[in-house]
Amino acid sequence: NAGVTQTPKFRVLKTGQSMTLLCAQDMNHEYMYWYRQDPGMGLRLIHYSVGEGTTAKGEVPDGYNVSRLKKQNFLLGLESAAPSQTSVYFCAVGGGLYIQYFGAGTRLSVL
Amino acid sequence: DQQVKQNSPSLSVQEGRISILNCDYTNSMFDYFLWYKKYPAEGPTFLISISSIKDKNEDGRFTVFLNKSAKHLSLHIVPSQPGDSAVYFCAASVIQGAQKLVFGQGTRLTINP
């Protein structure tokens, strides 16, 4: 997981609260991704970015927003958290050959 | 619509024997395949990959086989070691575009002494 840092590592929210997850990389890669992992579902792509100032929707984007104002940072926002967003969130970066490098994850519980 | 499937949620293998993890896909446009390994409370780490122009790729104890006609790939670990106990995800991608990965559900491998 070297080079990809996610903060925070754990968070508990109440329904309706908002929060931002931060992903920071020092690998100088162009592509960044946000995934969520749920039991029996594997990793599913929420949003991604192919470069500074760009974002695009993935497979499960509803309820999330993202921003990539700087190349090294990719933010994932939850404007009004719902229990269905309880999950483990992973950030990944990619720079070629389709290999993505993942952070350690953020475990989020929404009560 | 699960485009990448790992039909075995778990697998138990004796130390020293061969572990075989399987993965099936439905999208014929996929042209690059990867295996990731994940320990608890850590992010997935890249293990091995294969391009669709090949049918085998080997890296030490790990070998990935690709059967395009059957849309099937497998990961062989020989010999299996206790440190191999983890969840293994297969993933697939299309060359063009943002290199997005589509993941399978994962298989939990347990190596028994």
Side-chain angles (χ1 to χ4, degrees), chain A residues 1 31 33 35 37 40-45 48 50 57-59 90 94-105 107, chain B residues 1-2 31-32 34 36 38 41-46 49 87 89 93-106:
Chain A
N1 298 335
Y31 297 171
Y33 312 84
Y35 294 89
Q37 184 195 3
M41 302 285 287
L43 284 82
R44 292 181 294 169
L45 183 64
Y48 63 97
V50 297
K57 294 180 180 180
E59 180 186 357
F90 289 101
L97 294 180
Y98 314 99
I99 298 171
Q100 294 182 14
Y101 302 93
F102 286 80
R107 186 174 295 275
Chain B
D1 179 24
Q2 191 80 23
D31 46 23
Y32 203 81
L34 307 89
Y36 280 82
K38 185 183 180 305
E42 295 184 9
T45 55
F46 170 73
S49 63
V87 177
F89 292 97
S93 182
V94 177
I95 286 183
Q96 294 183 348
Q99 302 180 6
K100 295 179 289 182
L101 295 179
V102 179
F103 284 85
Q105 306 96 311

Short mmCIF file of all heavy atoms in Angstrom, two decimals, chain A residues 1 31 33 35 37 40-45 48 50 57-59 90 94-105 107, chain B residues 1-2 31-32 34 36 38 41-46 49 87 89 93-106:
data_model
loop_
_atom_site.label_atom_id
_atom_site.label_comp_id
_atom_site.label_asym_id
_atom_site.label_seq_id
_atom_site.Cartn_x
_atom_site.Cartn_y
_atom_site.Cartn_z
N ASN A 1 0.82 -1.22 0.00
CA ASN A 1 0.00 0.00 0.00
C ASN A 1 0.85 1.26 0.00
O ASN A 1 0.36 2.35 0.22
CB ASN A 1 -0.90 0.02 1.23
CG ASN A 1 -1.87 -1.16 1.21
OD1 ASN A 1 -2.19 -1.67 0.16
ND2 ASN A 1 -2.32 -1.56 2.37
N TYR A 31 -4.20 8.26 -13.01
CA TYR A 31 -5.54 7.72 -12.76
C TYR A 31 -5.76 7.44 -11.28
O TYR A 31 -4.88 6.88 -10.61
CB TYR A 31 -5.74 6.42 -13.54
CG TYR A 31 -5.69 6.53 -15.04
CD1 TYR A 31 -5.68 5.39 -15.84
CD2 TYR A 31 -5.65 7.77 -15.66
CE1 TYR A 31 -5.64 5.49 -17.22
CE2 TYR A 31 -5.60 7.87 -17.04
CZ TYR A 31 -5.60 6.73 -17.82
OH TYR A 31 -5.56 6.81 -19.18
N TYR A 33 -9.02 6.13 -8.42
CA TYR A 33 -10.30 5.43 -8.37
C TYR A 33 -10.79 5.33 -6.92
O TYR A 33 -9.99 5.21 -6.00
CB TYR A 33 -10.16 4.01 -8.92
CG TYR A 33 -9.44 3.90 -10.24
CD1 TYR A 33 -8.05 3.85 -10.29
CD2 TYR A 33 -10.14 3.80 -11.44
CE1 TYR A 33 -7.38 3.73 -11.49
CE2 TYR A 33 -9.48 3.68 -12.65
CZ TYR A 33 -8.10 3.65 -12.67
OH TYR A 33 -7.44 3.53 -13.87
N TYR A 35 -13.40 2.78 -4.78
CA TYR A 35 -14.19 1.56 -4.77
C TYR A 35 -14.85 1.40 -3.40
O TYR A 35 -14.39 1.92 -2.40
CB TYR A 35 -13.31 0.33 -4.98
CG TYR A 35 -12.64 0.22 -6.32
CD1 TYR A 35 -11.40 0.79 -6.55
CD2 TYR A 35 -13.23 -0.51 -7.34
CE1 TYR A 35 -10.78 0.66 -7.78
CE2 TYR A 35 -12.62 -0.65 -8.57
CZ TYR A 35 -11.38 -0.06 -8.79
OH TYR A 35 -10.77 -0.21 -10.01
N GLN A 37 -16.22 -1.97 -0.96
CA GLN A 37 -16.22 -3.42 -0.85
C GLN A 37 -17.29 -3.84 0.13
O GLN A 37 -17.26 -3.40 1.30
CB GLN A 37 -14.86 -3.97 -0.40
CG GLN A 37 -14.84 -5.49 -0.38
CD GLN A 37 -13.70 -6.09 0.40
OE1 GLN A 37 -12.90 -5.40 1.01
NE2 GLN A 37 -13.60 -7.41 0.37
N GLY A 40 -19.47 -10.43 -0.17
CA GLY A 40 -20.03 -11.18 -1.29
C GLY A 40 -20.16 -10.40 -2.59
O GLY A 40 -20.68 -10.93 -3.57
N MET A 41 -19.66 -9.14 -2.58
CA MET A 41 -19.85 -8.30 -3.77
C MET A 41 -18.54 -7.93 -4.44
O MET A 41 -18.53 -7.28 -5.48
CB MET A 41 -20.58 -7.01 -3.39
CG MET A 41 -21.92 -7.22 -2.75
SD MET A 41 -23.17 -7.72 -3.93
CE MET A 41 -23.43 -6.21 -4.80
N GLY A 42 -17.43 -8.27 -3.87
CA GLY A 42 -16.17 -7.84 -4.45
C GLY A 42 -15.99 -6.33 -4.30
O GLY A 42 -16.58 -5.70 -3.42
N LEU A 43 -15.18 -5.74 -5.15
CA LEU A 43 -14.98 -4.29 -5.16
C LEU A 43 -15.75 -3.70 -6.33
O LEU A 43 -15.65 -4.18 -7.45
CB LEU A 43 -13.50 -3.94 -5.31
CG LEU A 43 -12.62 -4.12 -4.07
CD1 LEU A 43 -12.19 -5.57 -3.91
CD2 LEU A 43 -11.40 -3.21 -4.16
N ARG A 44 -16.48 -2.64 -6.04
CA ARG A 44 -17.27 -1.99 -7.08
C ARG A 44 -16.83 -0.54 -7.22
O ARG A 44 -16.67 0.17 -6.23
CB ARG A 44 -18.77 -2.07 -6.76
CG ARG A 44 -19.33 -3.48 -6.82
CD ARG A 44 -20.81 -3.49 -6.51
NE ARG A 44 -21.09 -3.12 -5.14
CZ ARG A 44 -22.30 -2.84 -4.66
NH1 ARG A 44 -23.35 -2.84 -5.46
NH2 ARG A 44 -22.45 -2.53 -3.38
N LEU A 45 -16.68 -0.09 -8.46
CA LEU A 45 -16.16 1.23 -8.75
C LEU A 45 -17.23 2.29 -8.53
O LEU A 45 -18.32 2.21 -9.09
CB LEU A 45 -15.65 1.28 -10.20
CG LEU A 45 -15.01 2.57 -10.66
CD1 LEU A 45 -13.73 2.85 -9.87
CD2 LEU A 45 -14.71 2.50 -12.15
N TYR A 48 -14.16 7.70 -10.70
CA TYR A 48 -12.75 7.66 -11.03
C TYR A 48 -12.33 8.96 -11.71
O TYR A 48 -13.18 9.79 -12.08
CB TYR A 48 -12.42 6.45 -11.93
CG TYR A 48 -13.10 6.46 -13.28
CD1 TYR A 48 -12.43 6.93 -14.41
CD2 TYR A 48 -14.39 5.98 -13.42
CE1 TYR A 48 -13.06 6.93 -15.64
CE2 TYR A 48 -15.02 5.98 -14.65
CZ TYR A 48 -14.35 6.44 -15.76
OH TYR A 48 -14.97 6.44 -16.99
N VAL A 50 -9.23 10.51 -14.52
CA VAL A 50 -8.11 10.20 -15.42
C VAL A 50 -7.07 11.32 -15.43
O VAL A 50 -6.11 11.27 -16.20
CB VAL A 50 -8.59 9.91 -16.86
CG1 VAL A 50 -9.49 8.69 -16.87
CG2 VAL A 50 -9.31 11.12 -17.44
N LYS A 57 -18.23 8.91 -13.53
CA LYS A 57 -18.99 7.95 -12.73
C LYS A 57 -18.56 6.53 -13.04
O LYS A 57 -18.26 6.18 -14.17
CB LYS A 57 -20.49 8.10 -13.03
CG LYS A 57 -21.07 9.44 -12.59
CD LYS A 57 -22.55 9.52 -12.91
CE LYS A 57 -23.13 10.84 -12.46
NZ LYS A 57 -24.59 10.94 -12.77
N GLY A 58 -18.58 5.72 -11.98
CA GLY A 58 -18.33 4.31 -12.13
C GLY A 58 -19.61 3.52 -12.10
O GLY A 58 -20.66 3.98 -12.54
N GLU A 59 -19.55 2.35 -11.51
CA GLU A 59 -20.67 1.42 -11.48
C GLU A 59 -21.75 1.82 -10.47
O GLU A 59 -22.94 1.63 -10.70
CB GLU A 59 -20.15 0.02 -11.17
CG GLU A 59 -21.21 -1.07 -11.09
CD GLU A 59 -20.61 -2.38 -10.62
OE1 GLU A 59 -19.38 -2.46 -10.41
OE2 GLU A 59 -21.40 -3.35 -10.47
N PHE A 90 -12.11 1.86 -0.64
CA PHE A 90 -10.71 1.79 -1.04
C PHE A 90 -10.45 2.79 -2.17
O PHE A 90 -11.23 2.91 -3.11
CB PHE A 90 -10.35 0.40 -1.56
CG PHE A 90 -10.29 -0.65 -0.48
CD1 PHE A 90 -11.34 -1.53 -0.30
CD2 PHE A 90 -9.18 -0.74 0.36
CE1 PHE A 90 -11.29 -2.49 0.70
CE2 PHE A 90 -9.13 -1.69 1.35
CZ PHE A 90 -10.19 -2.56 1.53
N GLY A 94 -3.51 4.37 -10.60
CA GLY A 94 -2.98 3.57 -11.70
C GLY A 94 -2.23 4.47 -12.67
O GLY A 94 -2.60 5.62 -12.91
N GLY A 95 -1.15 3.88 -13.21
CA GLY A 95 -0.34 4.68 -14.13
C GLY A 95 0.04 3.95 -15.39
O GLY A 95 0.76 4.48 -16.21
N GLY A 96 -0.43 2.75 -15.55
CA GLY A 96 -0.09 2.01 -16.75
C GLY A 96 -0.14 0.52 -16.52
O GLY A 96 -0.12 0.07 -15.40
N LEU A 97 -0.25 -0.26 -17.61
CA LEU A 97 -0.29 -1.71 -17.55
C LEU A 97 -1.44 -2.23 -16.71
O LEU A 97 -1.40 -3.37 -16.25
CB LEU A 97 1.03 -2.28 -17.01
CG LEU A 97 2.26 -2.07 -17.90
CD1 LEU A 97 3.49 -2.67 -17.27
CD2 LEU A 97 2.02 -2.64 -19.29
N TYR A 98 -2.43 -1.37 -16.48
CA TYR A 98 -3.68 -1.76 -15.83
C TYR A 98 -3.53 -2.17 -14.38
O TYR A 98 -4.49 -2.61 -13.76
CB TYR A 98 -4.37 -2.90 -16.62
CG TYR A 98 -4.36 -2.58 -18.08
CD1 TYR A 98 -3.42 -3.12 -18.93
CD2 TYR A 98 -5.27 -1.66 -18.59
CE1 TYR A 98 -3.39 -2.76 -20.26
CE2 TYR A 98 -5.24 -1.31 -19.91
CZ TYR A 98 -4.30 -1.86 -20.75
OH TYR A 98 -4.27 -1.51 -22.04
N ILE A 99 -2.35 -2.05 -13.83
CA ILE A 99 -2.16 -2.40 -12.43
C ILE A 99 -2.55 -1.21 -11.58
O ILE A 99 -2.09 -0.10 -11.81
CB ILE A 99 -0.70 -2.80 -12.15
CG1 ILE A 99 -0.34 -4.03 -12.96
CG2 ILE A 99 -0.49 -3.04 -10.66
CD1 ILE A 99 1.14 -4.37 -12.92
N GLN A 100 -3.41 -1.46 -10.61
CA GLN A 100 -3.81 -0.41 -9.69
C GLN A 100 -3.24 -0.73 -8.31
O GLN A 100 -3.17 -1.88 -7.90
CB GLN A 100 -5.34 -0.30 -9.63
CG GLN A 100 -5.94 0.17 -10.94
CD GLN A 100 -7.45 0.32 -10.88
OE1 GLN A 100 -8.04 0.33 -9.81
NE2 GLN A 100 -8.08 0.45 -12.05
N TYR A 101 -2.86 0.35 -7.61
CA TYR A 101 -2.27 0.23 -6.28
C TYR A 101 -3.25 0.83 -5.29
O TYR A 101 -3.70 1.96 -5.47
CB TYR A 101 -0.92 0.94 -6.24
CG TYR A 101 0.04 0.39 -7.26
CD1 TYR A 101 0.14 0.96 -8.51
CD2 TYR A 101 0.83 -0.72 -6.96
CE1 TYR A 101 1.01 0.43 -9.46
CE2 TYR A 101 1.70 -1.25 -7.90
CZ TYR A 101 1.78 -0.67 -9.15
OH TYR A 101 2.63 -1.20 -10.09
N PHE A 102 -3.54 0.06 -4.25
CA PHE A 102 -4.61 0.42 -3.33
C PHE A 102 -4.10 0.97 -2.00
O PHE A 102 -3.03 0.60 -1.52
CB PHE A 102 -5.47 -0.82 -3.03
CG PHE A 102 -6.37 -1.21 -4.16
CD1 PHE A 102 -5.88 -1.92 -5.25
CD2 PHE A 102 -7.71 -0.85 -4.15
CE1 PHE A 102 -6.72 -2.28 -6.31
CE2 PHE A 102 -8.55 -1.20 -5.20
CZ PHE A 102 -8.05 -1.91 -6.28
N GLY A 103 -4.93 1.84 -1.42
CA GLY A 103 -4.71 2.26 -0.05
C GLY A 103 -5.22 1.20 0.91
O GLY A 103 -5.76 0.17 0.50
N ALA A 104 -5.07 1.48 2.21
CA ALA A 104 -5.42 0.50 3.24
C ALA A 104 -6.91 0.45 3.54
O ALA A 104 -7.37 -0.44 4.24
CB ALA A 104 -4.63 0.78 4.51
N GLY A 105 -7.66 1.43 3.05
CA GLY A 105 -9.10 1.40 3.23
C GLY A 105 -9.61 2.28 4.34
O GLY A 105 -8.88 2.63 5.27
N ARG A 107 -13.01 2.20 6.86
CA ARG A 107 -14.20 1.45 7.28
C ARG A 107 -15.23 2.44 7.79
O ARG A 107 -14.99 3.14 8.78
CB ARG A 107 -13.83 0.44 8.36
CG ARG A 107 -14.97 -0.49 8.76
CD ARG A 107 -14.48 -1.55 9.73
NE ARG A 107 -13.50 -2.43 9.11
CZ ARG A 107 -13.78 -3.50 8.38
NH1 ARG A 107 -15.06 -3.84 8.19
NH2 ARG A 107 -12.84 -4.24 7.87
N ASP B 1 -25.71 -7.54 -13.14
CA ASP B 1 -25.01 -8.31 -14.16
C ASP B 1 -23.55 -8.44 -13.75
O ASP B 1 -22.76 -7.51 -13.90
CB ASP B 1 -25.12 -7.61 -15.52
CG ASP B 1 -24.38 -8.38 -16.59
OD1 ASP B 1 -24.19 -9.59 -16.40
OD2 ASP B 1 -23.99 -7.77 -17.59
N GLN B 2 -23.20 -9.61 -13.22
CA GLN B 2 -21.85 -9.85 -12.73
C GLN B 2 -20.99 -10.27 -13.91
O GLN B 2 -21.09 -11.41 -14.39
CB GLN B 2 -21.90 -10.94 -11.65
CG GLN B 2 -20.63 -11.10 -10.88
CD GLN B 2 -20.45 -10.06 -9.78
OE1 GLN B 2 -21.41 -9.48 -9.31
NE2 GLN B 2 -19.22 -9.82 -9.40
N ASP B 31 -9.55 -7.63 -22.12
CA ASP B 31 -8.32 -8.08 -22.74
C ASP B 31 -7.13 -8.06 -21.79
O ASP B 31 -5.99 -8.24 -22.22
CB ASP B 31 -8.01 -7.27 -24.00
CG ASP B 31 -8.19 -5.78 -23.78
OD1 ASP B 31 -8.10 -5.34 -22.61
OD2 ASP B 31 -8.42 -5.06 -24.76
N TYR B 32 -7.39 -7.81 -20.51
CA TYR B 32 -6.31 -7.87 -19.53
C TYR B 32 -6.91 -8.34 -18.23
O TYR B 32 -7.97 -7.87 -17.83
CB TYR B 32 -5.66 -6.50 -19.37
CG TYR B 32 -4.25 -6.56 -18.84
CD1 TYR B 32 -3.19 -6.84 -19.69
CD2 TYR B 32 -3.99 -6.33 -17.50
CE1 TYR B 32 -1.90 -6.91 -19.22
CE2 TYR B 32 -2.70 -6.40 -17.02
CZ TYR B 32 -1.66 -6.69 -17.88
OH TYR B 32 -0.38 -6.76 -17.40
N LEU B 34 -6.18 -9.65 -14.04
CA LEU B 34 -5.26 -9.52 -12.90
C LEU B 34 -5.79 -10.32 -11.72
O LEU B 34 -7.00 -10.54 -11.59
CB LEU B 34 -5.14 -8.05 -12.48
CG LEU B 34 -4.76 -7.02 -13.54
CD1 LEU B 34 -6.01 -6.46 -14.24
CD2 LEU B 34 -3.98 -5.88 -12.92
N TYR B 36 -5.50 -10.16 -7.47
CA TYR B 36 -5.10 -9.41 -6.30
C TYR B 36 -5.27 -10.29 -5.07
O TYR B 36 -6.16 -11.14 -5.00
CB TYR B 36 -5.97 -8.14 -6.15
CG TYR B 36 -5.56 -7.00 -7.02
CD1 TYR B 36 -5.97 -6.93 -8.36
CD2 TYR B 36 -4.76 -5.97 -6.53
CE1 TYR B 36 -5.59 -5.87 -9.17
CE2 TYR B 36 -4.37 -4.91 -7.33
CZ TYR B 36 -4.79 -4.87 -8.64
OH TYR B 36 -4.41 -3.82 -9.44
N LYS B 38 -5.63 -10.10 -0.78
CA LYS B 38 -6.02 -9.15 0.26
C LYS B 38 -5.99 -9.83 1.63
O LYS B 38 -6.68 -10.83 1.86
CB LYS B 38 -7.42 -8.60 -0.02
CG LYS B 38 -7.82 -7.51 0.99
CD LYS B 38 -9.21 -7.04 0.76
CE LYS B 38 -9.58 -5.96 1.77
NZ LYS B 38 -9.41 -6.39 3.17
N ALA B 41 -7.94 -6.10 6.95
CA ALA B 41 -7.61 -4.73 7.35
C ALA B 41 -6.52 -4.10 6.49
O ALA B 41 -5.87 -3.13 6.91
CB ALA B 41 -7.21 -4.67 8.82
N GLU B 42 -6.28 -4.67 5.31
CA GLU B 42 -5.33 -4.07 4.37
C GLU B 42 -6.01 -3.91 3.01
O GLU B 42 -7.05 -4.50 2.74
CB GLU B 42 -4.10 -4.96 4.21
CG GLU B 42 -3.26 -5.09 5.46
CD GLU B 42 -2.00 -5.90 5.22
OE1 GLU B 42 -1.71 -6.20 4.04
OE2 GLU B 42 -1.31 -6.21 6.19
N GLY B 43 -5.39 -3.10 2.15
CA GLY B 43 -5.90 -2.97 0.80
C GLY B 43 -5.43 -4.13 -0.07
O GLY B 43 -4.46 -4.81 0.26
N PRO B 44 -6.12 -4.37 -1.18
CA PRO B 44 -5.67 -5.42 -2.11
C PRO B 44 -4.28 -5.09 -2.65
O PRO B 44 -3.96 -3.92 -2.90
CB PRO B 44 -6.71 -5.37 -3.23
CG PRO B 44 -7.90 -4.70 -2.63
CD PRO B 44 -7.36 -3.73 -1.64
N THR B 45 -3.48 -6.13 -2.86
CA THR B 45 -2.17 -5.95 -3.45
C THR B 45 -2.08 -6.78 -4.73
O THR B 45 -2.55 -7.92 -4.78
CB THR B 45 -1.03 -6.35 -2.50
OG1 THR B 45 -1.25 -7.69 -2.07
CG2 THR B 45 -0.98 -5.44 -1.30
N PHE B 46 -1.46 -6.20 -5.74
CA PHE B 46 -1.34 -6.86 -7.03
C PHE B 46 -0.48 -8.11 -6.90
O PHE B 46 0.57 -8.10 -6.24
CB PHE B 46 -0.73 -5.90 -8.04
CG PHE B 46 -0.35 -6.56 -9.33
CD1 PHE B 46 -1.32 -6.96 -10.23
CD2 PHE B 46 0.98 -6.79 -9.62
CE1 PHE B 46 -0.96 -7.57 -11.41
CE2 PHE B 46 1.35 -7.40 -10.80
CZ PHE B 46 0.38 -7.80 -11.70
N SER B 49 -0.62 -10.87 -13.45
CA SER B 49 -1.57 -10.49 -14.49
C SER B 49 -1.29 -11.26 -15.77
O SER B 49 -0.25 -11.91 -15.91
CB SER B 49 -1.50 -8.99 -14.75
OG SER B 49 -0.21 -8.64 -15.24
N VAL B 87 -7.75 -13.45 1.00
CA VAL B 87 -8.83 -13.40 0.00
C VAL B 87 -8.22 -13.01 -1.34
O VAL B 87 -7.43 -12.06 -1.41
CB VAL B 87 -9.93 -12.40 0.39
CG1 VAL B 87 -10.99 -12.32 -0.71
CG2 VAL B 87 -10.57 -12.81 1.71
N PHE B 89 -8.86 -11.89 -5.29
CA PHE B 89 -9.81 -11.32 -6.24
C PHE B 89 -9.24 -11.41 -7.65
O PHE B 89 -8.07 -11.08 -7.87
CB PHE B 89 -10.06 -9.84 -5.93
CG PHE B 89 -10.79 -9.58 -4.65
CD1 PHE B 89 -10.11 -9.25 -3.48
CD2 PHE B 89 -12.18 -9.65 -4.61
CE1 PHE B 89 -10.79 -8.99 -2.31
CE2 PHE B 89 -12.87 -9.39 -3.43
CZ PHE B 89 -12.17 -9.08 -2.28
N SER B 93 -10.10 -6.01 -17.34
CA SER B 93 -10.12 -4.65 -17.85
C SER B 93 -10.13 -4.67 -19.37
O SER B 93 -9.77 -5.67 -20.01
CB SER B 93 -8.88 -3.89 -17.37
OG SER B 93 -8.89 -2.55 -17.81
N VAL B 94 -10.56 -3.55 -19.93
CA VAL B 94 -10.50 -3.33 -21.37
C VAL B 94 -9.36 -2.37 -21.64
O VAL B 94 -9.22 -1.37 -20.93
CB VAL B 94 -11.83 -2.75 -21.89
CG1 VAL B 94 -11.73 -2.44 -23.38
CG2 VAL B 94 -12.96 -3.71 -21.60
N ILE B 95 -8.54 -2.64 -22.66
CA ILE B 95 -7.34 -1.84 -22.92
C ILE B 95 -7.66 -0.36 -23.11
O ILE B 95 -7.04 0.50 -22.53
CB ILE B 95 -6.58 -2.39 -24.14
CG1 ILE B 95 -5.85 -3.68 -23.79
CG2 ILE B 95 -5.59 -1.36 -24.66
CD1 ILE B 95 -5.02 -4.26 -24.91
N GLN B 96 -8.64 -0.04 -23.91
CA GLN B 96 -8.93 1.35 -24.19
C GLN B 96 -9.67 1.99 -23.04
O GLN B 96 -10.43 1.34 -22.32
CB GLN B 96 -9.77 1.47 -25.46
CG GLN B 96 -9.01 1.03 -26.71
CD GLN B 96 -9.84 1.23 -27.96
OE1 GLN B 96 -11.04 1.47 -27.89
NE2 GLN B 96 -9.19 1.13 -29.10
N GLY B 97 -9.44 3.28 -22.83
CA GLY B 97 -10.19 4.01 -21.81
C GLY B 97 -9.41 4.19 -20.54
O GLY B 97 -8.18 4.25 -20.53
N ALA B 98 -10.13 4.28 -19.44
CA ALA B 98 -9.55 4.65 -18.16
C ALA B 98 -9.00 3.47 -17.37
O ALA B 98 -8.73 3.60 -16.18
CB ALA B 98 -10.60 5.37 -17.32
N GLN B 99 -8.83 2.33 -18.00
CA GLN B 99 -8.26 1.15 -17.34
C GLN B 99 -9.05 0.76 -16.10
O GLN B 99 -8.47 0.36 -15.09
CB GLN B 99 -6.79 1.40 -17.00
CG GLN B 99 -5.95 1.74 -18.21
CD GLN B 99 -4.50 1.99 -17.88
OE1 GLN B 99 -4.06 1.81 -16.75
NE2 GLN B 99 -3.74 2.40 -18.88
N LYS B 100 -10.35 0.89 -16.20
CA LYS B 100 -11.19 0.49 -15.07
C LYS B 100 -11.15 -1.02 -14.89
O LYS B 100 -11.12 -1.77 -15.86
CB LYS B 100 -12.64 0.94 -15.32
CG LYS B 100 -12.82 2.44 -15.38
CD LYS B 100 -14.25 2.81 -15.64
CE LYS B 100 -14.65 2.47 -17.05
NZ LYS B 100 -16.06 2.89 -17.33
N LEU B 101 -11.15 -1.44 -13.64
CA LEU B 101 -11.13 -2.86 -13.32
C LEU B 101 -12.52 -3.31 -12.87
O LEU B 101 -13.19 -2.60 -12.12
CB LEU B 101 -10.12 -3.17 -12.23
CG LEU B 101 -8.65 -2.94 -12.56
CD1 LEU B 101 -7.77 -3.28 -11.36
CD2 LEU B 101 -8.24 -3.75 -13.78
N VAL B 102 -12.92 -4.50 -13.32
CA VAL B 102 -14.14 -5.14 -12.85
C VAL B 102 -13.70 -6.34 -12.03
O VAL B 102 -12.98 -7.21 -12.55
CB VAL B 102 -15.04 -5.57 -14.01
CG1 VAL B 102 -16.30 -6.25 -13.47
CG2 VAL B 102 -15.41 -4.36 -14.87
N PHE B 103 -14.13 -6.39 -10.78
CA PHE B 103 -13.66 -7.41 -9.86
C PHE B 103 -14.68 -8.53 -9.68
O PHE B 103 -15.90 -8.31 -9.75
CB PHE B 103 -13.39 -6.80 -8.48
CG PHE B 103 -12.12 -6.02 -8.40
CD1 PHE B 103 -12.08 -4.69 -8.78
CD2 PHE B 103 -10.95 -6.61 -7.94
CE1 PHE B 103 -10.91 -3.95 -8.72
CE2 PHE B 103 -9.77 -5.89 -7.87
CZ PHE B 103 -9.75 -4.56 -8.26
N GLY B 104 -14.16 -9.72 -9.40
CA GLY B 104 -15.00 -10.82 -8.94
C GLY B 104 -15.28 -10.66 -7.46
O GLY B 104 -14.79 -9.74 -6.81
N GLN B 105 -16.07 -11.60 -6.92
CA GLN B 105 -16.52 -11.48 -5.53
C GLN B 105 -15.44 -11.87 -4.53
O GLN B 105 -15.56 -11.57 -3.34
CB GLN B 105 -17.76 -12.37 -5.29
CG GLN B 105 -18.90 -12.12 -6.24
CD GLN B 105 -18.88 -13.08 -7.40
OE1 GLN B 105 -17.86 -13.28 -8.06
NE2 GLN B 105 -20.02 -13.67 -7.67
N GLY B 106 -14.41 -12.56 -5.00
CA GLY B 106 -13.34 -12.98 -4.11
C GLY B 106 -13.49 -14.42 -3.64
O GLY B 106 -14.60 -14.95 -3.53
#
